[in-house]
């Protein structure tokens, strides 16, 4: 740090600790704690000056009590303090999240930025810290608005090194703030420093003993000492004779109140308006209080109560603002808010002032506050939306039952957005119990069922949804919503889910009103239920996609019909189409900042990339999905994201990494579907690289779930091929044959090449174990062809390794060599290095000569000739009018037959 800077009087030890904190790598956050007036702000300012001189980027923010109810005020200060260049340099989805939150961009959907803003702020701070070390200096952290606090907490906990947070917090410190970082308790001033401070007010001729009495009466609190010193100097009520009678906390409040009350009425009126508005300026105060504001502020400034910078006005200490508002009678306070509500402020702040100006209920104001709550929710400010929604509800006359119920549900929905499920349950249960049976209570029950599903599981949620259906009466929209709640929040089988979804669609079609969002949801659920029942990809999903494109407020990307369609056709062997659609869904989620949906989309993209042989890409996508699930604290998605990460490790051949990922997720609380997906991934990992007994144990979990459900969907039965192989590996051949028949029957029902490939591969593994090598080779060759026909390149290559081993055992060495060589080349190109090592090890066990170039087919010779001439695979495809995939397949066979591993080797051999 820098020497020779003026320091706060008597605070050398505290400054040393602060300087040391900034110089410690990875130190994180530090909280300066202590009572009001102890000098926390002075210390923070001194640290900021030192940091600026030392070349750090310093962003100073000061929160006020009035800002607690206004979303993203502190976030706006932080972003403004960093400057536009850092914001402009962010990736588009991060910039969009921050701009929506700060009202410089229209929201793309309700709640879309709730999870995105904290992640975007972390990225912003991290990028800012790359240029030069960054210090965030936050004064009065306890008054930072809830939305900004959530974002700051998230970012600071994940940033270390070049980004530091130092904040002041008034005691007592809330538990949530205390967990943010280390604490430095700011204590009383030392005696010598305290006496010097008091004598700076009393004047040097004053006696040391008087100054000491003032210091001791203040218990070393600098602000109280200054207030008492001024009182003594002015011979006011707090004379030196009464110093020994003072209780410091009462004395500080009393001294501040006395100073405020001694001001002229006109000055107090101006300052009261300044205390009640988030960001007071001379212009705003002039609009409220008329001419003469500048002179009144000048008088307050001379009294040491306010500070001005340009047009901006702020109080020298928050206690002065609190004293001014506390001094007002309730009617006068309402009058202040009424005048402020006429100013050109943001919608949420205007609504807040209008609410505070009311005495009793007011239907008109309640409607205004409700609109502000909806706006806050739309910009990703759920805590602010919940507070405004509660104000709107309480302002609604009791006889306006439907309005009160709707606003109560808004509070519940906002709390769900904020992650406060227990709070949402309390609000919605109280509302349900207050309402009489009917449509409003049924609608409330539907909302409550969503929360109960997350907190208490499907049984309680289903009971609430069924009660909603019974109470819906002749309200078709409410009944339709209840049916869809039963689809979403119960564990009914596919047939029952389909029945509820169809009933919802019937109600929507027959009723006098329609709800396009509910209709799209019903169509989507019908399609998914039919898909799960084994009906392929029903046309209803396309209708849902078209309808959702017309919605002003579409569903989250993860639940959009297009995303569901892409995920389903992935399991129907339409891999290229699914790849394109999932890429589109990924881009949309990034664009609107829908990070919660990204976890699902990235996971499906990862699995598809692995199937297509893009192993490194699949690993990257799976890692990001896993990281996002943890960062967003999406406990329900951690298991699914971890399953994709384990699969990526299995494809890469990284057993330790896969086991770590699997165990971390297994220790979390997961629903049964997440458990099944994770168990399949862990079982596959152990089957391929580890312990066959553990593989069988994990895959038994999937088997129990699948056999307890009436499912024919391709996704849920894909574990079965691995399960048969695990049974074979552990010597349970009788069970393996039984489950193989189930697998064959399922493959026949679906008619999918991928299903046939799994069945043929499992049959080949079983035949090899039984010693029938010829039948094993036939089955495995058929499996390779089936996988290759739909582009499942990795599965085809992995099966070639197994086939090569069978051919070697059957003493068909030349064919074994060709097969294994082709597998090695293909797996190496995919980046599946673990499998490359396995294939090369098997290849080393084969004796015999490599194939010759003369064995090439005419098509292979054409491809080989053009490759030797230097053309890329794409150029070869264009020249021969064939697909890129066909070129790659021909080239793989050419390498195997010629006995080379690269284009250079091929050119050397054929020239």
């Amino acid at each position: 740090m820098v020497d020779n800077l003026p320091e706060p009087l008597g605070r050398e030890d505290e400054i040393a600790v602060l300087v040391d904190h900034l110089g410690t790598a990875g130190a994180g956050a530090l909280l300066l704690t202590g009572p009001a007036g102890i000098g926390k702000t002075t210390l923070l300012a001194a640290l900021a000056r030192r940091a600026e001189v030392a070349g750090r980027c310093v962003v100073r923010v000061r929160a006020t009590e009035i800002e607690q109810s206004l979303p993203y005020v502190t976030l706006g200060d932080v972003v403004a303090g960093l400057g536009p260049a850092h914001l402009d340099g962010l990736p588009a989805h991060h910039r969009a999240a921050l701009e929506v939150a700060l009202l410089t961009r229209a929201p793309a959907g309700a709640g879309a930025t709730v999870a995105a803003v904290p992640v975007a702020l972390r990225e912003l701070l991290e990028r800012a810290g790359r240029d030069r070390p960054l210090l965030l200096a936050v004064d009065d952290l306890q008054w930072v608005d809830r939305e900004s606090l959530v974002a700051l907490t998230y970012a600071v906990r994940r940033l270390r090194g070049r980004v530091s947070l130092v904040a002041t917090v008034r005691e007592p410190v809330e538990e949530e703030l205390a967990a943010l970082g280390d604490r430095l308790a700011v204590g009383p001033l030392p005696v010598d420093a305290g006496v010097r401070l008091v004598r700076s007010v009393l004047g040097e001729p004053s006696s040391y003993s008087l100054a000491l009495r003032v210091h001791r009466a203040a218990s070393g609190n600098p602000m109280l000492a200054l207030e008492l010193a001024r009182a003594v100097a002015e011979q006011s009520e707090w004379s030196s004779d009464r110093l020994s009678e003072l209780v410091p906390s009462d004395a500080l409040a009393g001294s501040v109140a006395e100073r405020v009350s001694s001001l002229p009425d006109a000055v107090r009126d101006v300052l009261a308006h300044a205390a009640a508005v988030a960001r007071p300026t001379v212009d705003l105060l002039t609009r409220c209080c008329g001419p003469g504001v500048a002179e009144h502020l000048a008088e307050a400034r001379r009294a040491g109560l306010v500070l001005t910078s340009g047009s901006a006005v702020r109080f020298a200490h928050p206690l002065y603002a609190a004293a001014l508002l506390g001094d007002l009678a309730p009617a006068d306070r309402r009058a202040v808010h009424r005048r402020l509500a006429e100013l050109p402020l943001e919608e949420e702040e205007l609504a807040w002032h209008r609410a505070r100006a009311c005495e009793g209920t007011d239907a008109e104001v309640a409607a205004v506050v409700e609109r502000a709550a909806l706006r806050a929710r739309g910009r990703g400010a759920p805590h602010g939306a919940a507070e405004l929604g509660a104000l709107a509800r309480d302002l609604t006359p009791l006889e306006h039952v439907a309005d009160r119920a709707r606003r109560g549900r808004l509070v519940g929905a906002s709390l769900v957005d904020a992650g406060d499920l227990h709070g949402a349950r309390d609000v919605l249960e109280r509302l349900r119990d207050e309402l009489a049976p009917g449509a409003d209570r049924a609608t409330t029950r539907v909302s409550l069922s969503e929360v109960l599903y997350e907190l208490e599981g499907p049984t309680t949620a289903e009971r609430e949804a069924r009660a909603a259906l019974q109470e819906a009466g002749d309200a078709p929209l409410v009944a339709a919503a209840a049916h869809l709640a039963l689809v979403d929040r119960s564990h009914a089988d596919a047939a029952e889910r389909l029945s509820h979804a169809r009933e919802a669609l019937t109600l929507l079609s027959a009723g006098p009103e329609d709800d396009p969002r509910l209709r799209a949801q019903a169509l989507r659920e019908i399609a998914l239920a039919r898909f799960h029942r084994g009906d392929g990809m029903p046309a209803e999903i396309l209708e849902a996609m078209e309808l959702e494109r017309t919605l002003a407020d579409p569903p989250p990307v993860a639940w959009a019909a297009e995303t569901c369609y892409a995920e389903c056709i992935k399991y129907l062997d339409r891999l290229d189409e699914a790849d394109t659609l999932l890429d589109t869904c990924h881009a949309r989620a990034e664009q609107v900042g829908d990070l919660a949906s990204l976890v699902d989309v990235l996971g499906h993209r990862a699995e598809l990339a692995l199937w297509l042989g893009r192993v490194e890409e699949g690993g990257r996508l799976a890692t990001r999905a896993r990281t996002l699930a943890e960062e967003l604290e999406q406990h329900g998605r951690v298991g699914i994201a971890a399953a994709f990460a384990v699969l990526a490790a299995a494809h890469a051949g990284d057993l330790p990494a896969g086991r770590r990922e699997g165990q971390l997720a297994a220790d979390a609380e997961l629903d049964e579907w997440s458990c099944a997906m994770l168990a399949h991934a862990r079982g596959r990992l152990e089957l391929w690289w580890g312990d066959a007994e553990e593989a069988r144990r994990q895959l038994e979990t999937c088997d129990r779930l699948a056999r307890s459900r009436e499912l024919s969907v391709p996704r849920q039965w894909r574990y079965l091929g691995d399960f048969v192989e695990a049974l074979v590996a552990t010597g349970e051949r009788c069970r393996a044959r039984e489950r193989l028949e189930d697998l064959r029957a399922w493959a026949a029902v679906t008619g999918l090449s991928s299903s046939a490939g799994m069945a043929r591969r499992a049959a080949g593994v079983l035949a090899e174990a039984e010693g029938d090598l010829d039948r094993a080779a036939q089955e495995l060759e058929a499996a390779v062809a089936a996988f290759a026909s739909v582009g499942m390149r990795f599965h085809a290559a992995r099966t070639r390794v197994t086939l090569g081993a069978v051919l070697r055992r059957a003493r068909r060495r030349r064919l074994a060599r060709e097969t294994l060589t082709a597998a090695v080349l293909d797996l190496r190109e995919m980046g599946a290095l673990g499998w490359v090592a396995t294939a090369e090890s098997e290849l080393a066990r084969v004796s015999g000569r490599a194939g010759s170039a003369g064995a090439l087919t005419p098509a292979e010779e054409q491809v080989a000739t053009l490759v030797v001439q230097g053309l890329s695979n794409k150029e070869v495809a264009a020249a021969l009018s064939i697909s890129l995939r066909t070129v790659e397949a021909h080239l793989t066979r050419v390498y195997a037959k010629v006995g080379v591993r690269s284009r250079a080797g091929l050119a050397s051999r054929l020239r």
Side-chain angles (χ1 to χ4, degrees):
M1 284 305 239
V2 180
D3 297 327
N4 301 322
L5 282 177
E7 306 291 9
L9 194 61
R11 295 299 190 188
E12 293 80 7
D13 291 344
E14 289 88 345
I15 286 291
V17 173
L18 292 171
V19 169
D20 182 65
H21 175 81
L22 283 191
T24 303
L30 180 65
L31 307 180
L32 299 175
T33 65
I38 201 65
K40 304 182 296 295
T41 299
T42 303
L43 276 170
L44 187 65
L47 178 67
R49 288 195 302 271
R50 274 182 163 263
E52 286 170 342
V53 173
R56 286 181 178 263
C57 174
V58 178
V59 176
R60 300 178 64 177
V61 176
R62 183 180 185 184
T64 64
E65 189 171 8
I66 209 73
E67 294 172 0
Q68 283 183 297
S69 301
L70 304 176
Y72 292 125
V73 174
T74 298
L75 176 72
D77 289 342
V78 171
V79 173
L82 290 172
H86 290 298
L87 183 62
D88 293 342
L90 283 177
H93 59 286
H94 288 321
R95 186 173 68 253
L98 291 173
E99 287 175 347
V100 168
L102 300 177
L103 299 175
T104 58
R105 177 187 296 212
T113 60
V114 172
V117 171
V119 178
L121 178 61
R122 184 202 62 183
E123 181 70 16
L124 179 69
L125 296 177
E126 185 175 286
R127 287 171 177 257
R130 292 174 192 168
D131 297 337
R132 51 184 176 140
L134 171 64
L135 169 63
L136 284 179
V138 181
D139 205 3
D140 285 319
L141 186 66
Q142 75 278 358
W143 287 332
V144 169
D145 64 271
R146 182 69 182 174
E147 263 70 44
S148 296
L149 182 62
V150 168
L152 277 172
T153 300
Y154 174 89
V156 167
R157 284 177 175 169
R158 289 160 178 80
L159 289 173
R160 291 291 185 268
R162 296 177 65 84
V163 179
S164 301
L165 169 70
V166 179
T168 68
V169 187
R170 187 178 296 183
E171 291 180 339
V173 181
E174 294 180 7
E175 182 177 347
E176 182 180 5
L177 298 181
L180 191 58
D182 296 331
R183 284 200 247 182
L184 172 60
V186 182
L189 275 180
V191 172
D192 289 349
V195 169
R196 288 171 58 193
L197 180 67
V198 171
R199 295 182 79 178
S200 70
V201 176
L202 297 178
E204 286 302 321
S206 61
S207 70
Y208 179 90
S209 62
L210 177 58
L212 179 60
R213 289 174 62 196
V214 172
H215 168 75
R216 287 176 174 170
S219 295
N221 184 300
M223 183 177 180
L224 177 54
L226 290 172
E227 291 291 333
L228 295 178
R230 291 190 186 99
V232 170
E234 296 169 3
Q235 294 296 308
S236 69
E237 180 183 352
W238 299 111
S239 66
S240 60
D241 294 335
R242 295 190 56 203
L243 290 176
S244 61
E245 304 172 11
L246 299 179
V247 176
S249 59
D250 295 338
L252 182 55
S255 181
V256 168
E258 181 194 357
R259 290 187 67 194
V260 167
S261 63
S262 67
L263 295 169
D265 291 346
V267 176
R268 284 208 315 276
D269 185 55
V270 170
L271 295 183
H273 285 80
V277 72
R279 295 300 164 89
T281 65
V282 174
D283 178 60
L284 286 177
L285 295 174
T286 300
R287 295 190 185 200
C288 286
C289 306
V293 163
E295 291 77 10
H296 299 324
L297 288 174
E299 184 171 349
R301 189 169 55 247
R302 287 191 297 271
L305 299 181
V306 299
L307 303 170
T308 57
S309 177
S311 181
V313 179
R314 69 181 180 89
F315 284 90
H317 196 279
L319 287 176
Y320 299 135
L324 283 155
L325 290 178
D327 191 44
L328 293 176
D332 294 333
R333 192 178 297 116
R334 288 194 296 272
V336 167
H337 287 297
R338 194 174 300 114
R339 286 194 290 270
L340 289 171
E342 298 171 358
L343 298 179
L345 303 172
E346 292 291 349
E347 184 175 345
E348 286 99 320
E349 187 172 1
L350 284 174
W352 190 84
H353 285 302
R354 289 199 67 177
R356 296 301 183 196
C358 287
E359 183 177 13
T361 59
D362 188 311
E364 180 184 350
V365 174
V368 170
V369 177
E370 181 186 18
R371 287 195 296 271
L374 291 169
R375 184 171 186 255
R377 190 180 180 211
R379 64 188 280 212
H383 298 94
E387 186 172 349
L388 286 166
L391 277 175
R393 177 199 59 202
D394 295 343
L395 285 166
T396 306
L398 292 176
E399 61 270 20
H400 295 191
V401 175
D403 291 339
R404 284 181 61 87
R406 184 181 66 253
R407 289 156 189 167
R409 288 191 294 272
L410 173 58
V411 176
S414 299
L415 291 173
V416 170
D417 292 344
D420 184 2
L421 295 177
H422 290 89
R425 179 181 60 187
D426 292 345
V427 166
L428 293 171
E429 285 182 340
R430 282 198 303 271
L431 178 59
R432 176 200 61 190
D433 295 343
E434 291 171 2
L435 292 168
D440 280 318
R441 192 161 85 164
T443 304
T444 301
R445 285 185 180 273
V446 170
S447 299
L448 180 57
S449 71
E450 174 187 353
V451 179
L452 292 175
Y453 181 83
E454 298 294 334
L455 289 177
E456 302 179 21
T459 302
T460 308
E462 183 178 357
R463 185 167 59 245
E464 196 68 31
R466 290 192 183 280
L469 185 59
Q470 291 176 353
E471 292 185 1
D474 58 355
L477 291 183
V478 179
H483 277 294
L484 291 174
L486 284 166
V487 172
D488 282 342
R489 286 145 209 161
S490 72
H491 278 183
D493 60 26
E496 188 173 348
R497 291 168 67 88
L498 180 59
S499 174
H500 283 300
R502 281 177 168 165
E503 186 63 32
L505 186 62
T506 300
L507 287 165
L508 291 167
S509 300
E513 297 180 88
D514 193 9
D515 184 325
R517 187 182 176 93
L518 283 179
R519 176 177 289 274
Q521 183 183 352
L523 289 166
R524 184 183 73 231
E525 295 296 347
I526 289 171
L528 290 176
R530 291 185 59 194
F531 174 77
H532 289 159
R533 203 175 60 171
D535 293 348
M537 196 67 259
E540 286 91 347
I541 197 73
L542 301 178
E543 293 182 58
M545 288 166 61
E546 288 298 319
L547 188 54
E548 283 181 0
R549 293 189 182 107
T550 69
L551 297 178
D553 181 20
V557 173
W559 289 103
E562 185 175 40
T563 307
C564 295
Y565 176 68
E567 292 171 359
C568 289
I569 63 173
K570 183 182 83 169
Y571 297 107
L572 296 177
D573 291 351
R574 293 157 63 179
L575 304 190
D576 289 337
E577 184 182 356
D579 196 29
T580 300
L581 276 177
L582 283 172
D583 187 59
T584 300
C585 297
H586 182 178
R588 184 178 304 116
E590 296 273 19
Q591 181 181 9
V592 302
D594 187 359
L595 297 186
S597 291
L598 266 181
V599 175
D600 291 336
V601 176
L602 286 167
H604 282 284
R605 285 199 66 201
E607 186 177 42
L608 184 53
L610 295 173
W611 292 354
L612 293 170
R614 306 197 301 258
V615 175
E616 292 181 358
E617 177 189 343
R620 289 194 301 272
L621 292 168
T623 298
R624 189 177 177 211
R626 179 79 161 90
T627 302
L628 265 180
E630 290 178 341
E631 289 181 344
L632 301 177
E633 299 179 350
Q634 291 185 318
H635 305 297
R637 286 183 167 94
V638 165
I640 295 173
F644 291 126
V646 173
L647 286 175
H651 283 70
D654 192 343
L655 178 62
R659 282 177 168 171
R660 283 194 304 272
E661 290 284 358
Q663 189 57 52
L664 285 172
D667 292 338
E669 294 184 10
L670 307 175
D671 62 37
E672 63 178 356
W673 287 108
S674 297
C675 285
M677 289 186 65
L678 182 61
H680 182 195
R682 298 179 76 187
R684 174 172 285 184
L685 176 77
E686 295 296 337
L687 177 66
W688 290 1
W689 302 108
D691 182 347
E693 286 290 348
E694 176 63 15
R696 182 193 58 75
R697 190 182 71 81
Q698 292 286 349
L699 292 164
E700 289 273 15
T701 301
C702 302
D703 195 51
R704 284 194 299 272
L705 175 63
R707 300 184 78 170
S708 68
R709 305 286 182 221
E710 295 180 5
L711 298 175
S712 299
V713 58
R715 173 179 180 177
Q716 265 70 42
W717 286 87
R718 284 178 178 260
Y719 78 94
L720 199 48
D722 292 320
F723 188 36
V724 171
E725 292 191 42
L727 291 171
V728 171
T730 54
E732 297 189 49
R733 293 181 192 170
C734 289
R735 282 190 70 196
R737 281 190 289 272
E738 293 174 3
R739 303 305 281 131
L740 176 59
E741 291 308 310
D742 293 336
L743 179 56
R744 283 171 167 161
W746 169 68
V749 168
T750 64
L752 297 172
S753 294
S754 60
S755 305
M758 293 173 200
R760 301 301 289 266
R761 177 185 164 82
V765 170
L766 179 58
E768 181 190 12
E770 293 175 335
D772 191 343
L773 298 182
D774 289 340
R775 183 162 60 87
Q778 291 173 0
E779 294 284 5
L780 291 168
E781 285 172 354
V784 170
F787 288 135
S789 70
V790 293
M792 299 186 78
R793 188 179 173 199
F794 177 86
H795 290 288
R798 171 176 166 263
T799 304
R800 280 197 187 96
V801 177
T802 308
L803 174 60
V806 169
L807 293 170
R808 177 187 59 77
R809 288 186 61 199
R811 300 184 182 280
R812 298 164 65 180
R813 293 187 179 89
R814 185 172 180 275
L815 187 55
R817 178 187 292 277
E818 291 177 357
T819 300
L820 289 166
T821 300
V824 167
L825 295 172
D826 216 13
L827 289 164
R828 179 177 289 116
E829 189 173 335
M830 294 180 209
L833 300 183
W835 283 101
V836 170
T838 298
E840 287 181 335
S841 175
E842 191 62 45
L843 184 60
R845 301 174 68 183
V846 180
S847 62
R849 296 182 303 168
S852 66
L856 299 180
T857 66
E860 291 167 352
E861 287 182 354
Q862 284 182 309
V863 170
T865 299
L866 293 175
V867 167
V868 169
Q869 292 174 1
L871 274 67
S872 68
N873 287 2
K874 286 186 178 180
E875 291 169 336
V876 172
L880 298 179
S881 299
I882 58 179
S883 71
L884 178 60
R885 183 171 293 164
T886 301
V887 172
E888 292 171 343
H890 283 322
L891 193 55
T892 297
R893 288 192 291 271
V894 168
Y895 284 169
K897 290 180 178 180
V898 177
V900 297
R901 300 181 179 183
S902 66
R903 302 170 87 90
L906 180 64
S908 175
R909 181 67 64 87
L910 295 185
R911 280 175 177 164

